[in-house]
Amino acid sequence: MTASDGEGPGRQARFDPLAALRGPGDPPWDVYLTGTVFLDIIFTGLDSAPVRGTESWARGMGSSPGGVANMATALARLGLRTSLAAAFGDDHYGEYCWDALEQGEHIDLSTSRTVPGWHSPVTVSMAYEGERTMVSHGHEPPPEGTAPDCPPGARAAVASLTPGVRAPWIAEAAGRGTRIFADVGWDDTGRWDLAGLPDLAHCEAFLPNAQEAMRYTGASCPRAAAHALTDHVPLAVVTLGAEGAYAVDGRTGETAEVPAIEVEALDPTGAGDVFVAGFVTGTLAGWPLADRLAFGGLTAALSVQDFGGSLSAPGWSEIAAWWRRVQSYDDQDPAALGRYAFLDGLLPRTTRAWPLRRAVPTIGFRRSA
């Protein structure tokens, strides 16, 4: 694992989890993804949900790129060379998001576009009592702002499947050897028909949550749903919320289940994206299935302890600090610690304290000279 540049928000010391696997014939990127970038405005420190007809004051506020930027940031902070194709508005919000991702997180935006006259989508997120309420506004970008039909070469790609919609770039990327990891949103049509996800045939892994998996398969429990999904995709990973995650590799018959880490959740925004990023990292690095599940769950657990989507995605320094900290307690269950013993050979040395808090960027601050 090798270090690279930077410290601070989005520029902390970075390590390369694929260093031992890299060769001269590798594709230029580890992971490619595409989607909509939102400007997220996050209000924190609310005592309760806003009440109709009243004014609520938040004790904190921050701004950051959101939407697909949550996943891109999580991947980049774990040391993967990440390329993102997205449309950006030509307003101040779009300029801010572009700069935060390209300069702050070192994400490749060569296939992204600034769309004249198109304003950036915006989400206002209000976090309270471990939950969040969101209000969003935006319009579909024009066709020239969408993903290219021929994406750049990458080891893997993360795709969000939409019921009834085929994304040509997925088949193109898979045909060139890119490993496709897919999640899916709620099916507003109510059909829950796997035939309505035509791009699933090109995917190596499918990572729905428990409710999505059961509805798509008709199974009575998420574990049975995971097994049923392997009739359609080689690897099924079903997230179980507070219970952790369960996975089945249909190629080998291997199964794995890892419990969730109990944490005080401040804001769950982006936790699913962070889980996928952790799982993709472990897969590309060639880790055992159970280790990949554990790592995805750990990174997601660390993310919900801070506010915001892309802001809260952990890097290797946070993971290392957590591992050092939990081992310092005498009352830890040895079996539970053993589940994460694989981290010993991976993590950088760090002297940073845990838990960690990053500075929250706010649009409009001038950079000091």
Side-chain angles (χ1 to χ4, degrees):
M1 193 176 293
T2 58
S4 64
D5 59 325
E7 279 288 337
R11 298 185 74 97
Q12 58 185 298
R14 295 176 186 247
F15 290 79
D16 184 358
L18 307 185
L21 304 176
R22 298 197 185 279
D26 288 346
W29 307 109
D30 296 326
V31 186
Y32 167 80
L33 66 165
T34 184
T36 302
V37 173
F38 286 73
L39 170 72
D40 281 356
I41 300 174
I42 306 130
F43 289 101
T44 65
L46 289 164
D47 294 322
S48 63
V51 178
R52 180 178 180 180
T54 67
E55 181 180 15
S56 299
W57 279 83
R59 290 187 290 275
M61 174 197 151
S63 305
S64 67
V68 72
N70 294 338
M71 178 79 73
T73 298
L75 290 162
R77 288 186 179 180
L78 291 177
L80 298 186
R81 299 171 183 175
T82 303
S83 181
L84 169 65
F88 290 79
D90 64 348
D91 50 16
H92 188 47
Y93 292 167
E95 180 183 335
Y96 163 78
C97 289
W98 185 295
D99 182 71
L101 295 173
E102 185 178 59
Q103 302 300 321
E105 305 293 347
H106 309 291
I107 294 168
D108 169 63
L109 299 179
S110 61
T111 55
S112 292
R113 297 290 181 270
T114 296
V115 181
W118 182 67
H119 74 76
S120 300
V122 176
T123 292
V124 175
S125 177
M126 293 159 280
Y128 55 89
E129 299 174 355
E131 297 292 340
R132 75 284 177 70
T133 297
M134 297 186 291
V135 178
S136 297
H137 174 70
H139 302 282
E140 287 292 326
E144 63 268 22
T146 57
D149 289 339
C150 186
R155 297 172 188 263
V158 179
S160 184
L161 305 183
T162 302
V165 177
R166 187 185 295 273
W169 73 265
I170 295 177
E172 174 69 23
R176 295 183 341 197
T178 297
R179 305 164 71 177
I180 310 296
F181 297 76
D183 60 13
V184 68
W186 193 257
D187 187 352
D188 292 329
T189 70
R191 296 188 183 95
W192 297 102
D193 182 6
L194 284 169
L197 301 176
D199 288 323
L200 191 60
H202 305 295
C203 297
E204 174 177 330
F206 186 41
L207 300 96
N209 64 35
Q211 287 299 317
E212 292 160 351
M214 289 189 291
R215 285 178 179 268
Y216 271 116
T217 61
S220 59
C221 77
R223 293 162 185 81
H227 284 272
L229 286 171
T230 58
D231 291 337
H232 305 272
V233 67
L235 178 60
V237 180
V238 177
T239 54
L240 309 174
E243 295 183 40
Y246 181 81
V248 182
D249 190 327
R251 296 162 296 193
T252 64
E254 181 184 7
T255 64
E257 183 168 3
V258 174
I261 298 174
E262 294 185 11
V263 296
E264 180 183 354
L266 296 180
D267 183 1
T269 303
D273 294 327
V274 174
F275 176 90
V276 173
F279 186 83
V280 169
T281 300
T283 302
L284 295 183
W287 301 349
L289 184 56
D291 290 353
R292 289 180 263 162
L293 286 185
F295 189 69
L298 169 59
T299 53
L302 293 178
S303 76
V304 302
Q305 296 178 80
D306 211 340
F307 292 106
S310 61
L311 286 173
S312 64
W316 288 103
S317 291
E318 283 89 340
I319 296 165
W322 172 84
W323 182 231
R324 286 162 52 101
R325 180 67 175 269
V326 297
Q327 292 181 92
S328 70
Y329 293 109
D330 295 331
D331 58 350
Q332 291 287 357
D333 178 3
L337 280 180
R339 174 59 272 160
Y340 298 91
F342 69 94
L343 294 173
D344 281 330
L346 296 170
L347 296 175
R349 295 183 178 275
T350 179
T351 57
R352 300 173 72 190
W354 186 87
L356 300 163
R357 291 292 181 267
R358 296 186 183 86
V360 179
T362 299
I363 293 175
F365 282 164
R366 295 183 180 276
R367 294 177 179 174
S368 57

